[in-house]
Amino acid sequence: MKKIAFVFAAAGLMSLAACGHNTNQADAVANAGDNAASALDNQGDMLSAAADNSSNAMAANELDNAADAAHNSADAVKSDAENKADAIDNSVKK
């Protein structure tokens, strides 16, 4: 169930990312956030796979928690980057 929710959240974030920004600096900030979020998501996926392969229930639970934390961090990084990019766009006189 967690993976389905993650897919829907990722799809929603990707639709926001497609909007674009008014300045190159804002685009660079948004792209850096996307890259960092992708790295964290990859780490979360690897932790989740390790949990699936673990024969120790307690270790698997800890790995799942770490995977969830990595995915949550990825969402936060992406959101922060988008907010900073929007602030850059808003500070530019139109």
Side-chain angles (χ1 to χ4, degrees):
M1 190 61 152
K2 293 178 191 175
K3 292 180 183 177
I4 292 172
F6 174 71
V7 169
F8 284 122
L13 290 174
M14 282 191 269
S15 66
L16 290 175
C19 295
H21 293 283
N22 296 333
T23 64
N24 290 337
Q25 184 181 9
D27 281 334
V29 168
N31 288 337
D34 289 343
N35 292 339
S38 292
L40 286 165
D41 275 332
N42 288 340
Q43 182 180 18
D45 291 343
M46 289 189 302
L47 289 166
S48 183
D52 292 343
N53 292 327
S54 177
S55 60
N56 182 328
M58 193 180 317
N61 189 39
E62 288 181 17
L63 287 167
D64 273 333
N65 289 341
D68 290 341
H71 289 302
N72 290 339
S73 294
D75 293 342
V77 165
K78 180 148 179 85
S79 178
D80 286 346
E82 284 297 322
N83 289 340
K84 287 179 182 178
D86 289 342
I88 291 168
D89 281 343
N90 290 336
S91 69
V92 175
K93 292 185 179 181
K94 295 180 182 179

